[in-house]
Every structure is written in C-alpha cells, then in structure tokens.
Amino acid sequence: MLPCINWLQPFLALLSSTLLTRGHNCPSSCLCPDHHTVDCQGQGLTRLPSPIPLDVRRLLLSDNWIPLIPSDFLVLYSDLVYLDLRNNSLSGLEPGTLSTSSRLVFLDLGSNNLTEIQSETFGESRSLIKLRLGNNPYLSQVEEDAFLGLTSLRVLELERNGLQGLDVEVLEPLTSLRVLRLEGNPWVCNCHFAKLFVWLMENRHKLPTGMEGLECSLPMDGSLMSLSLLSEASFRECRGYLSLTDILIVIFSGISVSVVAIIASFFLASMVHCFQRLGKAGQADEEEGND
C-alpha cells in the first residue's frame, strides 16, 4: 500500500496545486486582491496579460495601451461580470467578440480610439446592464443592429464622441434603457436628425442633462443651438424628406412598374398580332371557299 501512496503523491500534489491556484494564478504585472479580481490598471500593457485565472469575475485593464481584444478572448471566462478597458488604444471590435460573455453586467470601452460600432458587436449579451462608449472622439458611426440583443441594458453612454447623427433604429431594441448620455457630440440639425429629435423629445426623462445639455449645429451657418430651443416645427421642412431607404423603394417601385408595363404592352401587342393573323387566315379560307 505504501508504494502506491508514494506513487500517487506527485499526481495528488499536482492536482491539489491546480485546484488551489485556479483563482490565485495572478499575472505578474497585476494585483489580485481577491480570488475573483484581477487588477492591471495603469501598468503600461500593450496586450492582454497572461495568464488570467479562468474564474475571474472582475477584470480591470484601464489606463494601458492595449490595441485590440482577440475575438476568442472571452470564450474561457464564462464567469466574467465586470470588464473595464477604459483609456486604452482600442480602434475597433470584431463582431461577436463579446457574444460569449453571457454573464457580463458592466463593460467600459470609454476613452479609446473606436471609430464605429458594427452590427451585432455585442451578440446576445442579455445580462449587460451598463455600457460605456463615451469619449471616443473618432466614433462617428453606430450601425442599426449594433445593440441588438441587449434587452437588459439600462445605461448607455455615448457622450463626447464624433456622432453627427444616429438612427432611431439603433435605440429601439433597448427596451430596458433608463439612462442615455449623448451630450458633447457634433450633432447636425438636418432632416436626418429629425427622427432622433422626436425620439429624444419623447424620452427626455432618460437624458441626465435633459434637452438643455444637447446642442446641434444648424445647416445654414453652423451655429450651435440647444435642443431645448427647438421643436418639431423646426423640422417642418423635412416632412417631405425621403431617407436613402425611401428613395431606393421609390426607385425600385418605379422600375417594377415600368417593367410590368412593358411586359403588359408586349403581351397585348402579341395578342393583337395573333388575332390579326387569325383574321387574315380566316379571310383567306373564305375566299378560297368562294372560288
């Protein structure tokens, strides 16, 4: 029995070490104040630290120089609920990068170099409650389905970015939204902005700074105007405004009608020609009979 125990000791030691260090395997440049927190803030990191404990719940990576997040990064960290990537060098996010973060509640991507938020970037992150995307000065495009699936999101921060406009369809899937920050963007009060203005009027209670805290530049001279001084009547000239989608529908409808008209004309002409030929054939048969 004793030799067997001696033989098993190395294996048992390795297994015990693995289990005990699962939550203690802290990256060398970081601090781990508890078993589920990894704090790597302000360490001058140019890439994600390694190794990160698999059972990490709070990952703090702010104030570094991290340029990207690998698309498969969150696959192993199913317990992660809090991810802070504020003030890094992120220029983009691949769609699906965050789709596996089923338990993520808080995500901070503020103060980076993001230029756009693509469709389905956050996948089905249904647990996400707070999303910070503010202070990305080059962020000028948010695609229509960017926040699709974020049914629990209550706080969305898009302040001080480079947004001149935003489609209402971007915000409509956010059925649980309570707080929306949009101040500090270079909004342009044109006809494209009209629908968003109406939505903001109806949801002004969700704006921490109210309509008074939002400004837009007028198309005529570029002067800034507080949204609180505008009304739906300010956009009355846009009532006949057609969006790109509307224009494409009109063009397609016109082409379809034209094609149908051409086909109908060709069919009628063919029918007339057939009847004329039948009439001539009948007349010829009648003349032969008379002869």
Side-chain angles (χ1 to χ4, degrees):
M1 178 66 71
L2 188 58
C4 293
I5 295 176
N6 291 334
W7 180 82
L8 287 173
Q9 277 184 342
F11 174 75
L12 293 173
L14 177 62
L15 179 61
S16 175
S17 175
T18 301
L19 292 174
L20 288 174
T21 60
R22 185 171 184 262
H24 299 263
N25 194 16
C26 193
S28 59
S29 57
C30 307
L31 299 174
C32 297
D34 58 64
H35 294 173
H36 301 293
T37 300
V38 176
D39 185 352
C40 307
Q41 300 179 93
Q43 296 300 311
L45 300 176
T46 56
R47 61 180 180 180
L48 295 173
S50 180
I52 298 175
L54 297 179
D55 56 351
V56 63
R57 295 180 185 174
R58 298 179 74 247
L59 182 55
L60 312 177
L61 296 167
S62 63
D63 303 316
N64 286 294
W65 300 96
I66 300 171
L68 59 87
I69 306 176
S71 58
D72 59 348
F73 170 64
L74 293 176
V75 172
L76 297 175
Y77 306 108
S78 58
D79 292 334
L80 192 65
V81 297
Y82 190 104
L83 178 57
D84 185 357
L85 279 159
R86 175 175 41 88
N87 194 26
N88 274 279
S89 301
L90 298 175
S91 58
L93 292 171
E94 293 185 23
T97 299
L98 300 163
S99 61
T100 56
S101 54
S102 58
R103 296 186 182 181
L104 197 64
V105 172
F106 175 92
L107 176 61
D108 193 341
L109 297 172
S111 301
N112 277 279
N113 298 320
L114 299 177
T115 58
E116 66 175 338
I117 306 298
Q118 300 182 38
S119 295
E120 301 182 3
T121 292
F122 303 98
E124 296 294 321
S125 301
R126 298 185 183 278
S127 297
L128 196 61
I129 292 178
K130 189 169 186 176
L131 175 59
R132 288 181 169 176
L133 293 168
N135 295 290
N136 281 278
Y138 307 111
L139 179 56
S140 59
Q141 177 67 31
V142 179
E143 294 188 3
E144 183 175 326
D145 294 332
F147 303 133
L148 191 66
L150 303 186
T151 53
S152 299
L153 193 69
R154 296 183 182 180
V155 180
L156 175 60
E157 297 182 359
L158 287 167
E159 78 280 5
R160 290 184 288 279
N161 292 323
L163 297 171
Q164 295 186 352
L166 185 68
D167 290 333
V168 174
E169 289 77 9
V170 172
L171 303 172
E172 288 179 343
L174 304 177
T175 53
S176 300
L177 192 64
R178 298 292 180 268
V179 178
L180 176 63
R181 295 192 60 183
L182 295 173
E183 68 275 11
N185 282 283
W187 304 111
V188 178
C189 280
N190 52 20
C191 290
H192 179 69
F193 187 79
K195 289 183 179 179
L196 178 61
F197 178 80
V198 174
W199 189 94
L200 292 174
M201 289 285 289
E202 296 172 351
N203 295 271
R204 64 179 72 188
H205 58 282
K206 299 179 181 179
L207 306 173
T209 60
M211 298 294 280
E212 296 79 8
L214 298 176
E215 294 181 327
C216 65
S217 59
L218 302 179
M220 299 81 71
D221 55 8
S223 59
L224 292 177
M225 177 74 70
S226 172
L227 294 192
S228 62
L229 301 177
L230 301 176
S231 65
E232 291 188 43
S234 304
F235 298 91
R236 60 179 177 274
E237 295 181 358
C238 299
R239 291 175 182 172
Y241 169 74
L242 294 178
S243 65
L244 177 59
T245 303
D246 297 331
I247 293 173
L248 291 176
I249 291 174
V250 171
I251 293 174
F252 180 76
S253 300
I255 293 174
S256 300
V257 171
S258 299
V259 170
V260 171
I262 292 171
I263 293 174
S265 299
F266 178 77
F267 177 76
L268 290 174
S270 299
M271 292 293 292
V272 171
H273 181 68
C274 288
F275 280 122
Q276 287 177 344
R277 292 187 62 182
L278 289 173
K280 290 181 179 179
Q283 185 178 1
D285 292 341
E286 185 178 350
E287 289 178 354
E288 288 181 0
N290 291 334
D291 292 341

